[in-house]
Amino acid sequence: MGDHCNSCGKLVWSSSRLIMVRTLAALLLTIHSQARSEAPALLQGAGAGVEDHLLHLDTTPVAAAASASCVLENADCKILELLQHNHGLRLSFLQENTSSAVAVSRDWGLIKHLQPAAVLHPTSVHEIAELIRAVASSSSTNLTIAAKGVGHSINGQSQADKGVVIEMSTMKGMMKVMPYGDEDCALPFVEASGGELWVDVLQATLKEGLAPNSWTDYLYLTVGGTLSNAGVSGQTFRHGPQISSVLQMEVVTGTGQIVTCSPSKQPELFFAVLGGLGQFGIITKARILLVPAPQKVRWIRAMYSDFEVFRRDQEMLISEMEDQLHTFDYVEGFVMMNNQDPTNGWKSVPFSPDADQAVSAMSSSTLPADPDAAAAAASSRVLYYLEAAVGYNLADVGPALEKRVEKMLAPLSFIRSLMFSTDVSYFKFLNRIHDLELSLRAQQLWDVPHPWLNIFVPASSITTFDSLVFQQLVPVEYGGPILVYPLNRNKWDRRTAAVVPDEEVFYLVAFLRNALPSGPGLQSMLDANARILRVCEDLNGKHYLPRYTEEEQWKRHFGSEKWTAFVQHKHMFDPHAILAPGQNIFPRNQNPLDQLLLHSSA
């Protein structure tokens, strides 16, 4: 797919070139130190280094005045002040515990609050590169840099404690939709900035009757944010995660290089960045493959009381079939308590607002008409919902469409009287979570802590996981919807940095908990997450959207081979460990290879 696109860009420096540059930098530093005895007293105590040569130090009163608002050490302040004054970067300095500092230190999880010292509001990729180059070239700073879209991370991954946060949202609105490709790429694509929201990408591409083929459930996330992880939803079983649809990217590495990369040009950087947790570069632009978009969607929910039957049906739906016309385009599932509680019961996964009748039916206490099914549903403490969808165009409406849907549903063993469906626009279906968001915002229940846990569980262990986790949770422990649905391993490119179980089929399990004022405390929910994660790891599962606190945990997460490649890529593309400090993987100013060599010799 990517081989159809010819991309160009600056060469990524090899390790030998990096050594040469470091040697040159040391030489410049020596020359500079000899000249410092003749410099003004202001420079003598400033901790100035090579950055003075690179940034042309200016000590005018404007630069001096800026230091009054900088809470960092003198050398760190000087770097940022020079960028602000001499280079016109829109850097805002933050005072600790002020409202602006608190706001930028928040993320979706509302669990960790790491306050940066400054925020960059870039207007171009060159400003991002200038900031990174200035920090990377300085021998006297411990500054770190984090790119932040909408801050939808859970554990502070988009934060930089006493560092610089780059607000990627200021580079929105630079989208380009190419329905026929261009001279470099014969495939239809959309080119969007890393700070662009996926909902805006969808709206722009639908005007051409096109859309990306893989999504996340929530669209108010940024392109750079999801591509740095994977981007998973109900289409992933067929099309792979969002990172599988990327044709080309523009990336600013941890050395400040602006590199255009693709599967055929600079592939090592390309695949390292995809799913790379922001460790190797900041995605400033991405080309995403487009496919024809359906006009409408038949959206179906069906209930099960037996997990084994539910699991078997889900895996059948995602299996590779020759007749793609008679398979669903989207498959997900939910776990819920057998009650009507809006937090953990049937109502915790509301249907489309356009389907009032279906919602009413799902929320009623009416049991299945079939006596056996009724008894099973009534006695089951936990219920499972299959959610499936198929796209179609208005010209397809009629008996043929109904027969097509009936044929897809016929082999399934759900409770027949507890199946509901509705027809909505393609945009409405993909943006379905937004209505729930508006409802929760109106109730002041959106901006609460979200101790979410996302994991991948091998299919061979999912039944055990059900008995150890789903069946053991008490109602108050749910705290929100629980997603469970299978994915195909062969749709994930092994060259990317994303980590998944080594089985052909594995399940995404997402505990989307909300720490509500009336529910259990935040710490108890975090403790429950830790217990569930241990079960997952004992079953050879993996943590999706991970954040560990110890290096050994990261090594176990990646596995020996992938961890070695991850460390080597960090050395190549961000040797000073400047980027994405919130992930807590690499210490600042420690050569990543030193860690690898230390442990290999131990």
Side-chain angles (χ1 to χ4, degrees), residues 357-380:
Q357 184 175 357
V359 172
S360 175
M362 276 196 296
S363 301
S364 71
S365 58
T366 304
L367 287 173
D370 177 68
D372 293 334
S379 62
S380 179

Side-chain angles (χ1 to χ4, degrees), residues 3-40:
D3 290 338
H4 292 280
C5 296
N6 299 317
S7 60
C8 60
K10 298 179 182 178
L11 289 175
V12 176
W13 287 354
S14 64
S15 298
S16 61
R17 285 193 177 187
L18 284 172
I19 293 170
M20 291 173 62
V21 170
R22 289 175 183 168
T23 304
L24 178 59
L27 178 60
L28 287 172
L29 180 58
T30 302
I31 296 171
H32 177 68
S33 62
Q34 293 173 354
R36 286 182 66 170
S37 60
E38 301 176 5

Side-chain angles (χ1 to χ4, degrees), residues 140-152:
S140 57
T141 181
N142 287 308
L143 280 172
T144 56
I145 298 171
K148 178 176 177 288
V150 292
H152 209 266

Side-chain angles (χ1 to χ4, degrees), residues 60-365:
T60 61
V62 177
S67 64
S69 60
C70 180
V71 298
L72 297 170
E73 293 181 3
N74 196 26
D76 295 339
C77 289
K78 189 171 295 297
I79 291 173
L80 300 180
E81 289 162 3
L82 291 170
L83 288 168
Q84 181 189 57
H85 176 59
N86 290 8
H87 294 252
L89 268 63
R90 295 197 301 167
L91 274 163
S92 302
F93 293 101
L94 304 175
Q95 295 293 323
E96 290 187 24
N97 300 318
T98 60
S99 58
S100 56
V102 170
V104 79
S105 68
R106 289 163 52 102
D107 64 8
W108 173 247
L110 291 180
I111 298 170
K112 293 189 177 296
H113 303 272
L114 304 176
Q115 294 187 16
V119 178
L120 174 67
H121 302 272
T123 58
S124 73
V125 63
H126 300 286
E127 294 182 358
I128 296 174
E130 277 191 83
L131 171 65
I132 296 176
R133 277 198 300 269
V135 173
S137 63
S138 173
S139 60
S140 57
T141 181
N142 287 308
L143 280 172
T144 56
I145 298 171
K148 178 176 177 288
V150 292
H152 209 266
S153 56
I154 306 301
N155 287 293
Q157 289 95 329
S158 61
Q159 298 173 13
D161 189 23
K162 296 181 178 62
V164 181
V165 166
I166 302 176
E167 285 284 2
M168 299 299 292
S169 59
T170 59
M171 292 180 62
K172 287 173 55 180
M174 305 182 206
M175 204 162 6
K176 179 171 65 174
V177 181
M178 304 297 290
Y180 306 104
D182 63 9
E183 64 274 9
D184 294 324
C185 183
L187 301 170
F189 66 84
V190 57
E191 187 171 274
S193 73
E196 203 72 61
L197 295 178
W198 281 106
V199 67
D200 295 328
V201 172
L202 177 60
Q203 290 175 320
T205 56
L206 283 179
K207 294 176 182 178
E208 301 291 343
L210 302 168
N213 57 18
S214 191
W215 295 91
T216 55
D217 288 327
Y218 183 59
L219 299 185
Y220 291 80
L221 307 175
T222 61
V223 170
T226 65
L227 297 185
S228 295
N229 291 282
V232 179
S233 187
Q235 303 92 352
T236 302
F237 80 92
R238 174 176 288 183
H239 303 293
Q242 289 182 310
I243 57 176
S244 296
S245 299
V246 181
L247 302 175
Q248 178 178 291
M249 289 185 294
E250 178 185 79
V251 174
V252 183
T253 69
T255 58
Q257 288 182 285
I258 303 172
V259 183
T260 300
C261 55
S262 74
S264 59
K265 294 207 174 180
Q266 303 296 328
E268 197 161 11
L269 177 63
F270 179 80
F271 290 112
V273 168
L274 292 174
L277 307 177
Q279 292 300 303
F280 314 114
I282 295 174
I283 300 171
T284 52
K285 197 182 296 180
R287 284 189 176 185
I288 315 294
L289 176 70
L290 298 178
V291 297
Q295 295 172 314
K296 302 278 286 185
V297 168
R298 174 67 57 85
W299 183 9
I300 297 167
R301 288 260 181 92
M303 187 178 286
Y304 293 74
S305 59
D306 187 293
F307 183 78
E308 270 301 294
V309 177
F310 171 72
R311 177 198 63 77
R312 184 191 65 212
D313 279 2
Q314 279 196 316
E315 292 185 22
M316 178 180 64
L317 289 176
I318 72 157
S319 62
E320 300 288 340
M321 296 184 184
E322 294 183 6
D323 186 5
Q324 293 290 323
L325 181 64
H326 291 98
T327 58
F328 286 103
D329 301 315
Y330 163 100
V331 175
E332 286 196 10
F334 302 94
V335 183
M336 68 203 73
M337 299 300 295
N338 189 359
N339 61 46
Q340 298 184 60
D341 190 287
T343 302
N344 56 61
W346 297 4
K347 292 182 179 181
S348 65
V349 283
F351 215 31
S352 166
D354 293 341
D356 293 337
Q357 184 175 357
V359 172
S360 175
M362 276 196 296
S363 301
S364 71
S365 58

